[in-house]
Amino acid sequence: MAEEMRKRKSWLDGFMAYPLPAGLSEAAVRHNIVLLDQLLYELWRLGENLVYAWSPSGRGLRVLVAPHTLLTEYVAEAADEAGQWRRAQLLEHLMTRREHLSAAALDTAAQQLGLKPRLIELPFNLDAGLGLPLVAAIVERYGIRLVQDRAVILLDAVGFSLLSPLEQVVQLNALSCSVNAAYAKLLDREININFARTTTGDGFYIWNRMRGIAANVELYQLMQFILADNAIARERAPRKTTVPQLRACFHVGSHYEFHQSEGLNPTSFSYVVGQVTIELARMVERALPGQILVGKFRTQMRDEATGRDVEIDSIEFVERTRAPLQQLGGLTLAGAEIDEISCYLTGPEAPDGAYAISEYEIADKHGQPHRVFNAKVNIHRRDGAPIFLGLRDEDLMGFEARVV
């Protein structure tokens, strides 16, 4: 019972980061969260059903609930029937939305999918009792989301499979420490990344639960500090097998996000699977020890400053990370204050002294091509030796890729 209470408290704490409704105490908000969650849990039926859409309705909300097999049924049969194709497209559209639907839009979606909306009655108004963004986060635990523009990091420990089980555990713990230390560094500058991670067995996928240009830039910053902390820890370790040598890949793309079951409840943290994780896995297969690869992408990202979606590619994205990095000057790494952090994509030097950017194509084990860039990060410290992360062009002789 004590363990269940601890899990419930931890789960609730994750939602308290959202703005609380005016005039409500934290205890009242927690009570309302639990009440809504219990009603959604009953409809969820231990994972048999998913919530595909929702809409506020007076003192409650209406939801579209159906078995999770609805997804595969419509997608598998889409090629055979035009109506199924439209329904498959509608489901994909619903999964890309985090916000609620209007009452009319929910009715239209229900009609097209052949579903009947279910009413969840509550003793409070949604806006006043929780706030719609918080309601969306609670409902999200009982569905699947399709995200098109989220950045994800893959950190991979070199030679991990050759280690003993005890050494593997020690290395994963050392990598977790570097992740936590990097996160603490950014918190010092009030950069509060709402990051999540899942293990790959010999490393981690890491992503920012928030979306948009700023959120993705912050994740790139987190990657740099993780690699820096890892490099320092490895340099100081009495035995090199206690701290992993890493290769790192960064990419932006689409994926599905879902909450697995823990016991009889959906987890408070999400998992990602989709094109971006597949691309990262293929990239890391070819990455050299110590190398940093950035996948080639061009996608729409939300610019929080303007509220508009902006098309950004890999090269422009890395350029956008430079200015925020300058704001991190003054932080300390291993007791030495940071003077400057520079990050860039590598390439050959031109006659005028400028540097071009090389684009590489790698082939995975299935022969499929993937485009990537080689990245470098240089951290200069006032009273300490500089930290150089990534590989230079002249260090890429063993990199199995062709220059495009």
Side-chain angles (χ1 to χ4, degrees):
M1 180 63 70
E3 177 65 13
E4 287 299 316
M5 290 295 292
R6 184 192 65 79
K7 288 182 179 179
R8 172 52 63 91
K9 183 179 185 301
S10 174
W11 166 73
L12 284 172
D13 287 344
F15 289 119
M16 302 318 291
Y18 287 83
L20 301 184
L24 274 189
S25 66
E26 183 175 312
V29 173
R30 287 176 180 268
H31 175 268
N32 292 345
I33 290 173
V34 170
L35 181 56
L36 174 57
D37 185 73
Q38 287 175 339
L39 296 173
L40 287 168
Y41 178 83
E42 293 173 6
L43 296 177
W44 183 60
R45 294 178 59 86
L46 302 180
E48 178 183 341
N49 293 327
L50 293 174
V51 177
Y52 290 94
W54 66 281
S55 178
S57 178
R59 293 170 71 87
L61 66 159
R62 293 192 304 152
V63 295
L64 293 186
V65 178
H68 60 84
T69 53
L70 188 72
L71 284 172
T72 51
E73 287 173 6
Y74 283 159
V75 173
E77 299 173 11
D80 302 326
E81 183 186 337
Q84 297 282 41
W85 175 246
R86 287 193 296 271
R87 286 189 283 269
Q89 286 184 311
L90 174 59
L91 283 173
E92 182 173 298
H93 170 70
L94 293 177
M95 286 190 292
T96 62
R97 291 182 61 95
R98 188 176 190 183
E99 301 82 9
H100 63 276
L101 295 177
S102 66
L106 187 82
D107 289 334
T108 300
Q111 183 179 15
Q112 291 178 343
L113 295 174
L115 301 176
K116 183 178 180 180
R118 305 281 293 272
L119 176 64
I120 296 178
E121 294 183 288
L122 296 167
F124 56 84
N125 177 275
L126 286 185
D127 249 337
L130 287 172
L132 296 185
L134 180 50
V135 174
I138 298 169
V139 174
E140 189 176 284
R141 298 178 68 216
Y142 296 95
I144 294 177
R145 289 183 63 210
L146 174 58
V147 181
Q148 302 282 8
D149 61 348
R150 177 172 286 133
V152 182
I153 301 166
L154 175 55
L155 301 174
D156 185 75
V158 176
F160 189 81
S161 62
L162 303 177
L163 302 174
S164 69
L166 180 58
E167 288 173 325
Q168 290 178 342
V169 170
V170 170
Q171 284 205 359
L172 286 179
N173 185 70
L175 181 52
S176 292
C177 288
S178 288
V179 173
N180 295 336
Y183 179 57
K185 291 291 182 188
L186 295 181
L187 281 180
D188 287 344
R189 290 302 172 91
E190 298 183 352
I191 300 175
N192 188 8
I193 298 178
N194 188 7
F195 80 92
R197 61 183 168 186
T198 57
T199 180
T200 63
D202 49 5
F204 292 111
Y205 285 115
I206 303 176
W207 66 96
N208 194 342
R209 291 188 180 95
M210 307 304 290
R211 294 170 59 187
I213 297 173
N216 290 341
V217 167
E218 289 169 356
L219 187 72
Y220 201 79
Q221 293 175 330
L222 179 67
M223 179 185 71
Q224 294 169 343
F225 277 92
I226 292 171
L227 295 176
D229 187 88
N230 167 262
I232 294 170
R234 185 171 171 80
E235 184 179 278
R236 294 179 170 181
R239 294 185 60 194
K240 298 304 181 186
T241 54
T242 60
V243 179
Q245 183 182 20
L246 297 178
R247 47 192 162 207
C249 297
F250 181 95
H251 196 37
V252 177
S254 65
H255 65 81
Y256 293 96
E257 189 170 0
F258 66 103
H259 294 256
Q260 290 184 338
S261 297
E262 183 179 33
L264 299 179
N265 296 284
T267 55
S268 57
F269 51 89
S270 58
Y271 294 82
V272 297
V273 61
Q275 192 59 38
V276 69
T277 56
I278 293 171
E279 290 282 338
L280 285 166
R282 299 295 179 256
M283 289 161 59
V284 84
E285 287 174 359
R286 295 290 181 260
L288 298 174
Q291 189 171 16
I292 304 171
L293 291 179
V294 174
K296 182 180 181 180
F297 60 84
R298 179 184 293 275
T299 188
Q300 298 279 336
M301 294 186 200
R302 175 58 59 94
D303 186 343
E304 292 83 354
T306 64
R308 298 178 179 178
D309 289 339
V310 180
E311 188 172 83
I312 293 181
D313 63 19
S314 310
I315 296 175
E316 182 183 354
F317 176 81
V318 173
E319 286 294 324
R320 281 176 176 255
T321 67
R322 294 190 180 209
L325 282 175
Q326 303 311 313
Q327 301 170 11
L328 298 177
L331 285 178
T332 59
L333 275 176
E337 192 172 296
I338 295 173
D339 272 340
E340 181 187 13
I341 304 175
S342 62
C343 64
Y344 54 93
L345 302 177
T346 69
E349 185 177 4
D352 62 358
Y355 284 86
I357 294 175
S358 294
E359 180 181 330
Y360 297 91
E361 183 176 277
I362 59 176
D364 63 24
K365 59 186 178 182
H366 305 293
Q368 296 298 312
H370 305 271
R371 299 288 181 88
V372 298
F373 301 93
N374 183 62
K376 280 278 291 147
V377 180
N378 300 332
I379 302 176
H380 297 277
R381 297 181 294 168
R382 185 164 303 171
D383 299 314
I387 301 170
F388 299 116
L389 305 172
L391 301 181
R392 303 170 301 171
D393 267 17
E394 51 265 43
D395 300 324
L396 301 181
M397 296 301 294
F399 184 37
E400 298 180 15
R402 72 175 185 90
V403 179
V404 179

